[in-house]
Amino acid sequence: MNKAALFQQIQKKQSFLCVGLDTDLSKIPAHLLVLNDPIFEFNKQIIDATADLAVAYKPNIAFYEALGAKGWESLKKTLDYIPQEIFTIADAKRGDIGNTSGLYAKAFFEQMDFDSITVAPYMGIDSVKPFLAFEDKWVILLALTSNEGSADFQLTESKSGKPLFQEVLEKSQSWGNTDNMMYVVGATRGEKIAEVRAIVPDHFFLVPGVGAQGGSLEEVAKYGMNASCGLLVNSSRGIIYASKGQDFANAAREEAKKLQQEMKELLAQYCH
Amino acid sequence: MNKAALFQQIQKKQSFLCVGLDTDLSKIPAHLLVLNDPIFEFNKQIIDATADLAVAYKPNIAFYEALGAKGWESLKKTLDYIPQEIFTIADAKRGDIGNTSGLYAKAFFEQMDFDSITVAPYMGIDSVKPFLAFEDKWVILLALTSNEGSADFQLTESKSGKPLFQEVLEKSQSWGNTDNMMYVVGATRGEKIAEVRAIVPDHFFLVPGVGAQGGSLEEVAKYGMNASCGLLVNSSRGIIYASKGQDFANAAREEAKKLQQEMKELLAQYCH
């Protein structure tokens, strides 16, 4: 789907919620563990409980890789189960030289049918462009993350005074367009989000999480929204591990609902 | 294995050759395609033909991911087949926030028993350190690559005049030590390698390839070697696709032998 279609979904569901399927055998309810594919069963129930509230699902690929070939199968089954109109993100943070990035693209865009993939920018243009060769598929490029280590290199200022993340944003804009490129922008303090928004006014941002490490959902919306919403805000643990009991899917729905209600108000307030 | 053990292997085999198992169904000999696992059969014969000449094998994970769960199985079988004393590199260029990097580490260090993994530095310290928590395992951090896009960000100079790759080298040195960290250093012009060597005199470098994009093997050895050799030089296509016929393993051996012979002389000349 392109940007307009994604925005349509956001308006339809009054939500810009992305549910992170960071599914961990040690964290899911014990009663699922006797099943043949506990990971998929968990994801299936989460999807069933939240599909009307979320515009995106984002499995972090590490969680599936950690389980070897079986994890890969659970991932594929999960992806196939997600309703067609919901935007899917392979949170893989891949990136390599040309032909190799092309193979990563094959893995996630052909072997599996993800709409998008997160990509690391360190190796520059030829490590990113191969993903953009796939029609109707998106690259979500790491720009400014909000983990502790984001300060190590992303904030390093060049001679012209620009931090590295700004160089990444500015340079990469010409590699694709607003219909196939998004940026990972951590929920840092509001001013930082405003800074990023000023550099890339029309691109979507994937915000990995709110609250814990920086800005609140309101701040992110206030400083980060644009006329097409322009935000996908992810929540993983807060939703999928809301309960460790038999009621886990309902509990997940409750938390997703709370966020969606807040998002509905923020859309009304800031999306213009 | 630690640095001393790796150097011991280099001295024993008189080689610092790493064979890149970038195994592609569209490139391997046709006669293998009727088999149940052509990828593994190919790798097995390559390993049989080159194990006495190589000190490392480096599968690029994208090639296996592109084949889904089946690719993951071929990868594991390949890894299990490699003789114990040969250094194995998961060329995965992974990197994510703390607990997620920890899961990538589980995938490659526990699910499969690789000695090392290539890691992208963009997200900083907490995206790298989780890999270093595994005993007897290495991180090979991207520093200066030699693809076209390496100029986009890696060479961007900070206010102090240091290019980004130098910031990466300097900052990351304290995250581990010379027994668990290496750096990916592209085979660029000799002076650049000398520059990198001056910043990190005692760390091993993984040099992804020689000839095509920059410095020759001699140049890399002349400017990059240290008293423990300090280099693993990779060759993929030049070796594994030397022939597309029934004699592919022998042809691979021929090419590996040529490189090893050259490396033997370079060790004598420059390793001190």
Side-chain angles (χ1 to χ4, degrees), chain B residues 224-240:
Chain B
M225 256 194 210
N226 61 22
S228 309
C229 178
L231 298 174
L232 290 176
V233 173
N234 181 73
S235 176
S236 301
R237 285 166 291 179
I239 290 178
I240 70 176

Side-chain angles (χ1 to χ4, degrees), chain B residues 84-117:
Chain B
Q84 194 64 12
E85 76 280 1
I86 299 184
F87 192 74
T88 52
I89 302 170
D91 194 359
K93 298 183 177 75
R94 298 295 193 257
D96 207 323
I97 62 167
N99 68 321
T100 312
S101 272
L103 285 166
Y104 278 131
K106 278 188 83 167
F108 293 100
F109 293 160
E110 286 183 1
Q111 263 286 329
M112 286 182 291
D113 192 25
F114 278 95
D115 290 307
S116 66
I117 182 172

Side-chain angles (χ1 to χ4, degrees), chain A residues 1-4 6 87 89 109 115-121 124-143 165-185 197 200-206 226 228 230-232, chain B residues 152-153:
Chain A
M1 66 181 84
N2 61 13
K3 196 171 92 153
L6 180 57
F87 192 74
I89 302 170
F109 294 159
D115 290 308
S116 65
I117 183 171
T118 53
V119 177
I125 187 172
D126 51 330
S127 68
V128 177
K129 279 203 130 180
F131 294 98
L132 295 169
F134 287 72
E135 200 170 321
D136 214 33
K137 301 291 187 185
W138 297 66
V139 159
I140 307 182
L141 198 63
L142 297 183
F165 80 83
Q166 187 172 342
E167 297 275 350
V168 170
L169 290 167
E170 291 183 358
K171 216 160 220 165
S172 66
Q173 281 186 71
S174 59
W175 299 349
N177 55 55
T178 56
D179 278 307
N180 67 6
M181 280 193 76
M182 292 188 191
Y183 293 101
V184 175
V185 181
R197 186 44 91 198
V200 277
D202 301 314
H203 284 77
F204 257 83
F205 296 168
L206 169 65
N226 59 21
S228 311
L231 299 174
L232 291 176
Chain B
D152 284 333
F153 308 119

